[in-house]
Amino acid sequence: MTNYRTDPAWHGIRQSVLQGQADPDADSVQVKLPASWGQAAADALAGLLPGERRIDIAQAATRWIAPLAEKEPALGPALHTLLAARQGAPCAAIWRGRAGEARFVLNPNGFFDAAGLFDVTGFGAAVQLAVRALTVAMPGAKRLHVGYTDLHLFLCRLGLDYESVPARQVAAVLSAYMTAMAEAESAAMAEGGKGFAAAPVALPESCVLPGLLAAAKAAQAPAMRRHESVTGLAHEPEVEALLGAEACNLAPALSPATEDGKLKLWAHAKLAAGGMSPEAALGAMLNGQSLFQAVRPAGHLAMHEAVAPYIHTMPAAPALPKPVRSRAKREMLPARRRGYTQKASVGGHKLFLSTGEYETGRLGEIFIALHKEGSAFRGLMDAFAIAVSIGLQHGLNLEDYVEAFTFTRFGPAGTVEGDPAVAQATSMIDYVFRNLAVNYLGQTNLAPAVIEDADAVGDGAADRAPLLPFDLPDAAPRERRRALKLVG
């Protein structure tokens, strides 16, 4: 590796050498980084710098920081310090020295001191440092994406439930403060007062994090910023993992345990906020208590909506799962069932109608077998019979099928032979449901099927007859008509 002078920010930090892998199928690479960062950070660094066989975190950082420090010397030590403390890092494009979107990820959890107090001023200074670094690295960029990660852990360290109103208020004020500080730095770098207007946004009325709401109000001021937008929550998985994040940007964590069975940082923080040790938590869980309830999708969406007004570029809103449609109960037929098979001919075309019944005698399925029709017509008739059978087994009434499918008109049609209960049918389907109406519903008074020429459909004898109550059977479906006749 090329020799670099290590920045003082890395002095005194115990280092370790791990084998990092960008993915399980990739070759492992030698990664040197702070020992406390662990394997996940080594894998993330291997993913940030693909193709390298040996990586030293301090030297890799110097490669992208040095060009910025040449233009603004103060950036060098500040960026090294920010990264060494796992408080922030730029996007993968800057690590690789390539063109891309100008993104910078901050980890607000790196700004808690030993007493558990959040350094509001330090976080604001880091936001401004990120804006300046991105502007120097990509001076032509009009859109910057300075954002934060691992909001869930941040809220747990404050003792807040992710789905609570105070948690959403803290997240909203933190986002507003970040945007206000970023706009102020962008305005300071504007050329000749030209740029994009930045106006204050109404803040929540309260915030449980001391000093944050006051700092956000003080930071908001009308200005003409250099960039069209300065904040955004973009997903940078390698960078976020390098910073120790367990959940990306504002998303909730999914599991309280790591892959090797240890509690995650957010779970430890949640227990600490409640004054409970891991041993006590284990005992409580063995006794049936639920200490780590998963955040509902609605809670994630509510957090997204609370933060959105204060950040310029937001990821897509999380989609709520669609309600599971209850599957209709299907009453299966007995293995051995009764029924009948009727052989008939409609207009000279032979068919076989078979039925299957429940033990009560109720119709549960039908089969229609054709004799000499083409394969396409036979397939459609089979599918139709299956669809009707499934409907009957789910409780649909045979009367509705009779009403819907009698008097359907298409060939073959005509005189019915072999079935004394039906004399004529306007189609094979019309015959099937006339037969079923007689045998299962006792309807022997259906209007007769009048066979008409193709060019006379809708103007037959039945249509020319007066539409009077005494012309229609009381218990039978009415024959379809194209028009009603006015009787003088």
Side-chain angles (χ1 to χ4, degrees):
M1 291 184 290
T2 306
N3 291 326
Y4 290 92
R5 178 180 298 177
T6 304
D7 188 87
W10 300 97
H11 296 173
I13 300 178
R14 188 168 66 89
Q15 306 282 317
S16 63
V17 178
L18 301 176
Q19 297 298 316
Q21 287 182 290
D23 60 73
D25 297 328
D27 295 334
S28 61
V29 299
Q30 181 177 302
V31 178
K32 182 181 179 182
L33 75 174
S36 61
W37 290 21
Q39 185 62 51
D43 294 338
L45 195 56
L48 275 176
L49 301 172
E52 297 195 19
R53 304 302 303 171
R54 299 175 63 190
I55 304 173
D56 185 319
I57 179 68
Q59 296 179 3
T62 300
R63 286 204 298 267
W64 65 264
I65 293 176
L68 307 184
E70 290 179 0
K71 299 177 181 179
E72 291 198 19
L75 289 177
L79 290 172
H80 275 290
T81 301
L82 193 74
L83 178 59
R86 302 186 88 175
Q87 294 176 332
C91 60
I94 293 179
W95 278 88
R96 299 166 187 170
R98 300 175 183 174
E101 290 189 345
R103 298 177 179 176
F104 207 102
V105 180
L106 297 172
N107 183 5
N109 298 286
F111 294 88
F112 284 97
D113 60 18
L117 299 178
F118 181 67
D119 183 4
V120 176
T121 303
F123 180 76
V127 172
Q128 294 185 314
L129 174 63
V131 171
R132 183 162 292 273
L134 291 178
T135 305
V136 173
M138 302 180 184
K142 294 299 182 182
R143 293 178 177 269
L144 306 184
H145 300 78
V146 177
Y148 52 72
T149 188
D150 214 356
L151 178 66
H152 193 178
L153 173 59
F154 181 77
L155 297 174
C156 288
R157 297 191 67 164
L158 297 175
L160 300 176
D161 179 28
Y162 184 93
E163 297 192 58
S164 66
V165 173
R168 291 195 289 270
Q169 290 175 337
V170 167
V173 177
L174 179 70
S175 303
Y177 178 55
M178 178 180 68
T179 297
M181 295 300 289
E183 289 179 337
E185 185 65 19
S186 177
M189 301 182 72
E191 299 175 354
K194 298 179 180 179
F196 302 89
V201 182
L203 297 172
E205 297 181 357
S206 62
C207 176
V208 298
L209 183 56
L212 184 59
L213 182 57
K217 291 180 178 178
Q220 286 191 333
M224 295 297 293
R225 61 178 183 258
R226 171 173 176 165
H227 305 91
E228 183 178 352
S229 61
V230 288
T231 55
L233 298 182
H235 185 33
E236 288 280 342
E238 292 90 358
V239 177
E240 293 177 79
L242 185 67
L243 296 177
E246 294 174 334
C248 66
N249 49 64
L250 56 77
L254 300 178
S255 171
T258 61
E259 295 180 355
D260 55 1
K262 298 180 180 179
L263 286 179
K264 290 185 177 180
L265 294 176
W266 75 266
H268 278 289
K270 187 176 182 67
L271 294 178
M276 183 177 290
S277 67
E279 292 77 11
L282 176 61
M285 295 180 70
L286 291 176
N287 289 329
Q289 296 185 31
S290 178
L291 300 179
F292 304 109
Q293 295 182 352
V295 175
R296 300 172 302 163
H300 186 190
L301 179 60
M303 181 63 73
H304 185 281
E305 293 175 346
V307 167
Y310 306 102
I311 295 181
H312 294 154
T313 304
M314 288 287 293
L320 295 179
K322 296 182 179 179
V324 179
R325 298 180 58 185
S326 58
R327 191 171 183 178
K329 187 176 181 181
R330 183 178 181 181
E331 184 180 359
M332 303 303 295
L333 287 159
R336 184 168 182 172
R337 65 206 68 168
R338 295 178 297 174
Y340 65 84
T341 298
Q342 175 71 56
K343 176 183 177 182
S345 174
V346 178
H349 292 254
K350 189 185 301 182
L351 65 82
F352 292 86
L353 170 63
S354 299
T355 65
E357 304 172 359
Y358 292 100
E359 295 178 354
T360 60
R362 179 168 62 91
L363 178 65
E365 67 181 358
I366 64 172
F367 298 96
I368 304 172
L370 304 181
H371 179 57
K372 61 180 181 180
E373 270 58 41
S375 60
F377 191 74
R378 290 200 305 270
L380 288 173
M381 194 65 79
D382 289 341
F384 175 78
I386 292 173
V388 171
S389 300
I390 292 176
L392 293 171
Q393 293 166 25
H394 280 84
L396 296 183
N397 295 322
L398 178 59
E399 292 91 336
D400 296 331
Y401 282 113
V402 171
E403 172 69 22
F405 293 112
T406 50
F407 301 103
T408 51
R409 296 180 182 273
F410 57 86
T415 302
V416 176
E417 298 177 356
D419 186 352
V422 183
Q424 287 187 316
T426 58
S427 66
M428 286 187 171
I429 290 181
D430 175 56
Y431 164 72
V432 167
F433 287 98
R434 285 178 181 273
N435 177 282
L436 297 176
V438 171
N439 290 283
Y440 288 97
L441 301 177
Q443 293 185 359
T444 59
N445 57 350
L446 287 175
V450 179
I451 309 304
E452 301 175 345
D453 296 335
D455 58 353
V457 174
D459 191 29
D463 287 335
R464 292 193 296 272
L467 185 59
L468 299 176
F470 53 78
D471 288 336
L472 301 175
D474 293 336
R478 182 184 299 174
E479 183 179 2
R480 293 183 178 84
R481 304 173 186 274
R482 284 291 182 88
L484 299 179
K485 302 293 184 178
L486 180 63
V487 180

